[in-house]
Amino acid sequence: MSILTITGLSHIFDNKQLFDNASLTVNNGEHIGVVGLNGAGKSTFMNIISGKLSHDSGEIKWLNGIRWGYLDQQATIDRSLTVMEYLKTSFQHLYELNDSLEKIYEQMGSIEDMDELDRLVLKSSKMQERLEEANFYDLEAEIKKVATGLGIHNYGYDTSVSKLSGGQRAKLMLAKLLLQKLDVMLLDEPTNFLDLEQIEWLNKYLNSFKGTFILISHDTRFLNDTCKIIINIENAQIVKYWCSYDEYLIQHEQKAQQYADNYERQQREIKKMEEYIARNKARAATAGMANSRQKMLDKIEILQKPINAEKPTFSFPYIQVITRHMLEVKDLLIGYNNKPILPPISFSLASDTKLWIRGTNGLGKTTLLKTLIHKIPSLGGSFDFHLSSKINYVEQDLEFRSNQISATTFMNETFPRMNFKEIRNQLALVGLKGELATKPVGNLSGGEQVKIKLCSIMQKTSNILILDEPTNHLDVNAKDALFEALASYPGAILLVTHEPEYAERICTDIFDIKEEY
């Protein structure tokens, strides 16, 4: 049964044709992954089908009565609530019903009219049945089950949402969506702020989900594990593949080659017709045939030129240091407000160590990195970098001074000695060419914003890279290019990532963040 039908979808965003008469049908129970290059329109697609963004033309039709929800990484959240209060809003209607029932019970204690009392008894009985059918009295246990699966319990249920990081708030929004038991879930990068165990938990949850979900993810293992259908957004079209992600790659390559061949064939045919028309339209004897060819040419549905998925180039200038003591961490305590969140941490790095900081509790890894770069103070113990160490750091959160500045403005403010041509050349290397370099960063995709951050550290020499989830938002081509740069980097690397296959290909050592050592 079709629950979502898209017909004739066309949309231009920021002078770019993202969709051109595109169509898609989504059936009940389908588990769908959305893929495409950075900037192809994946998040725009989600915003359109969720009604957050108006499209230029076409029809988006949901089946009547379908309950759906959207996990949007840019969504706001009420920061005045506690963690538990926010999670309980998943069942707001049930808590309101229970409040109404409690008021009726209070009324019943003071009513002497037996008919009125009978009416309230009947009404309260029906309300009680609704609450029991909805498993209301076990809701808190259900909430804690999901919260534990996503690592939210570590924050403390009485903690104010205002004290949580952007990633922690994203987990809260994901938990709320899962708890609502919707017919359809729209998930934009749901694994970005999850650790390995939490991703595995979400994997199992989604595989057991009886409804439909449509998710955007650049985590290819997660796509393979959870999605039975892949839709690719490319050449302003939406193409559906009934297969796993790995199988999609094979089919897509074959289809892309076929499309490229058809495009070249059509271009040759158009050129022949145009040459014929140009030669014959001025001669009276052949003008009629030339006009006939022109009419044929006008009716041809022109194929869009295939998008060449250019691979960005990353390189990180290295200044040599050879030592066994690039970084020494001894009994380091990390946390906030003088409250450690982990036992003392100890490890060391040589000048060529590439260390994967791995953890399963959802707390600590980013805090550790921020402590090491002095962004937050340590609470005890010590850490010492080599005197000749030069650090480059890429943080997980995509924050800019303003969403209205462009990549060129950001680079100019960060590196005022670089001239405009140098800035444009460096941005072009990472795939930000033409208008992408001058658009407001708020109009760029997450992957394009990550490329700006990576471009900035390409301008500074270093011998240690500290990278917090650098592959978040990057498409496959960009991730491969980043892997090549990191694998060839001679210096030390501290890497936090939720993609084990990526870390295992780069890192020489692993340090596990645990609640107990």
Side-chain angles (χ1 to χ4, degrees):
M1 177 179 63
S2 172
I3 59 172
L4 172 63
T5 304
I6 300 172
T7 52
L9 173 62
S10 293
H11 186 69
I12 296 174
F13 179 74
D14 209 14
N15 296 320
K16 181 178 180 180
Q17 182 85 49
L18 293 181
F19 301 101
D20 183 12
N21 197 31
S23 299
L24 175 71
T25 298
V26 175
N27 299 310
N28 187 38
E30 290 184 334
H31 292 180
I32 298 172
V34 182
V35 300
L37 297 177
N38 290 144
K42 299 184 294 297
S43 292
T44 300
F45 167 75
M46 289 290 221
N47 285 328
I48 287 174
I49 65 174
S50 67
K52 289 190 65 177
L53 180 66
S54 297
H55 50 289
D56 297 334
S57 61
E59 184 179 34
I60 312 293
K61 188 174 182 181
W62 287 94
L63 182 67
N64 288 337
I66 287 292
R67 295 177 63 246
W68 56 267
Y70 178 29
L71 175 68
D72 177 9
Q73 300 285 4
Q74 307 302 319
T76 57
I77 182 172
D78 187 346
R79 301 190 183 194
S80 68
L81 302 176
T82 66
V83 168
M84 180 55 78
E85 286 171 344
Y86 177 78
L87 293 176
K88 283 184 175 181
T89 62
S90 306
F91 308 101
Q92 188 68 35
H93 63 295
L94 294 178
Y95 283 102
E96 289 174 355
L97 180 61
N98 185 63
D99 290 342
S100 298
L101 180 59
E102 294 293 336
K103 290 179 182 178
I104 289 176
Y105 286 152
E106 290 177 8
Q107 293 175 16
M108 289 167 63
S110 59
I111 290 179
E112 297 179 358
D113 185 325
M114 296 305 295
D115 290 338
E116 177 64 10
L117 185 61
D118 288 343
R119 187 185 70 80
L120 290 180
V121 167
L122 179 61
K123 183 178 180 180
S124 65
S125 177
K126 290 180 178 179
M127 294 169 71
Q128 183 72 38
E129 286 179 10
R130 287 172 58 190
L131 290 172
E132 289 176 354
E133 287 173 1
N135 204 31
F136 174 76
Y137 300 102
D138 292 323
L139 282 187
E140 191 157 320
E142 187 174 347
I143 288 171
K144 289 183 176 180
K145 179 180 178 182
V146 172
T148 300
L150 295 176
I152 293 169
H153 65 296
N154 292 298
Y155 311 159
Y157 292 113
D158 294 328
T159 300
S160 172
V161 172
S162 64
K163 295 182 178 179
L164 302 182
S165 68
Q168 290 169 335
R169 293 194 298 272
K171 284 187 186 181
L172 274 187
M173 290 187 283
L174 174 58
K176 179 180 177 179
L177 196 70
L178 300 182
L179 286 165
Q180 288 175 312
K181 294 183 167 42
L182 301 164
D183 300 309
V184 181
M185 295 190 295
L186 307 177
L187 307 169
D188 192 350
E189 298 283 6
T191 64
N192 267 2
F193 301 99
L194 303 184
D195 291 324
L196 298 179
E197 283 191 4
Q198 296 156 14
I199 291 174
E200 183 60 29
W201 181 89
L202 181 60
N203 181 354
K204 291 177 181 177
Y205 184 97
L206 292 179
N207 278 315
S208 65
F209 182 61
K210 302 300 182 185
T212 303
F213 65 74
I214 303 174
L215 71 86
I216 297 171
S217 179
H218 293 104
D219 185 336
T220 56
R221 176 186 285 187
F222 185 71
L223 286 171
N224 263 325
D225 289 343
T226 57
C227 298
K228 305 297 186 292
I229 293 172
I230 300 294
I231 62 173
N232 179 44
I233 299 176
E234 186 178 52
N235 296 318
Q237 296 298 310
I238 306 169
V239 183
K240 192 172 185 179
Y241 297 79
W242 282 264
C243 59
S244 68
Y245 178 79
D246 282 347
E247 292 167 335
Y248 148 78
L249 288 177
I250 297 171
Q251 293 185 30
H252 174 258
E253 185 176 354
Q254 294 170 343
K255 185 169 285 190
Q257 185 59 54
Q258 184 179 24
Y259 183 92
D261 292 344
N262 290 341
Y263 173 81
E264 292 297 333
R265 190 180 303 111
Q266 186 185 68
Q267 288 296 303
R268 290 195 296 269
E269 185 63 28
I270 290 172
K271 185 178 180 181
K272 283 183 182 178
M273 294 176 74
E274 289 175 339
E275 290 173 348
Y276 180 88
I277 293 166
R279 285 197 312 268
N280 293 282
K281 65 180 179 181
R283 296 169 55 194
T286 57
M289 296 179 65
N291 288 335
S292 177
R293 291 287 179 93
Q294 184 64 58
K295 290 178 182 178
M296 292 173 59
L297 181 59
D298 292 340
K299 291 180 180 178
I300 292 177
E301 187 175 337
I302 307 296
L303 297 176
Q304 285 198 4
K305 185 176 182 179
I307 297 174
N308 292 322
E310 291 187 33
K311 197 171 182 179
T313 300
F314 301 109
S315 61
F316 305 111
Y318 171 68
I319 182 168
Q320 188 177 49
V321 171
I322 300 176
T323 177
R324 294 176 59 189
H325 306 288
M326 177 61 82
L327 171 63
E328 297 287 341
V329 179
K330 294 181 180 179
D331 297 324
L332 178 64
L333 289 175
I334 61 173
Y336 302 88
N337 302 318
N338 291 317
K339 183 180 178 182
I341 59 175
L342 290 170
I345 297 171
S346 298
F347 65 86
S348 62
L349 247 67
S351 55
D352 59 351
T353 302
K354 293 176 172 59
L355 184 67
W356 178 18
I357 305 291
R358 187 171 64 179
T360 59
N361 63 352
L363 289 174
K365 301 187 300 300
T366 294
T367 303
L368 170 61
L369 298 191
K370 288 182 176 180
T371 303
L372 293 176
I373 64 164
H374 299 282
K375 198 166 186 178
I376 59 176
S378 66
L379 304 182
S382 65
F383 63 93
D384 296 292
F385 287 94
H386 191 274
L387 287 174
S388 298
S389 66
K390 297 195 69 167
I391 301 168
N392 268 336
Y393 169 62
V394 173
E395 61 187 347
Q396 182 176 10
D397 293 332
L398 295 175
E399 294 181 353
F400 294 86
R401 173 177 62 77
S402 165
N403 279 337
Q404 296 307 308
I405 67 169
S406 66
T408 52
T409 302
F410 172 81
M411 292 293 289
N412 179 250
E413 291 176 352
T414 309
F415 306 101
R417 294 185 179 181
M418 291 180 68
N419 62 45
F420 186 72
K421 183 178 180 181
E422 291 171 333
I423 288 173
R424 291 298 295 259
N425 286 340
Q426 289 301 304
L427 290 171
L429 282 175
V430 301
L432 299 175
K433 300 180 179 180
E435 292 183 352
L436 289 178
T438 56
K439 285 183 181 180
V441 294
N443 290 354
L444 299 179
S445 69
E448 289 160 346
Q449 292 181 24
V450 172
K451 290 174 184 177
I452 298 173
K453 299 288 188 175
L454 291 171
C455 184
S456 70
I457 69 168
M458 288 167 54
Q459 313 313 313
K460 301 177 288 187
T461 58
S462 68
N463 41 44
I464 178 167
L465 297 176
I466 299 180
L467 309 172
D468 193 355
E469 299 285 4
T471 61
N472 277 2
H473 309 290
L474 292 180
D475 60 36
V476 174
N477 284 343
K479 283 202 290 188
D480 285 346
L482 181 59
F483 164 75
E484 291 171 4
L486 296 179
S488 63
Y489 180 70
I493 295 176
L494 274 176
L495 175 66
V496 170
T497 179
H498 64 268
E499 298 189 60
E501 290 180 344
Y502 203 82
E504 288 163 1
R505 292 167 64 197
I506 294 171
C507 295
T508 57
D509 298 86
I510 298 172
F511 180 77
D512 282 311
I513 296 285
K514 299 177 181 177
E515 292 184 84
E516 295 182 2
Y517 294 104

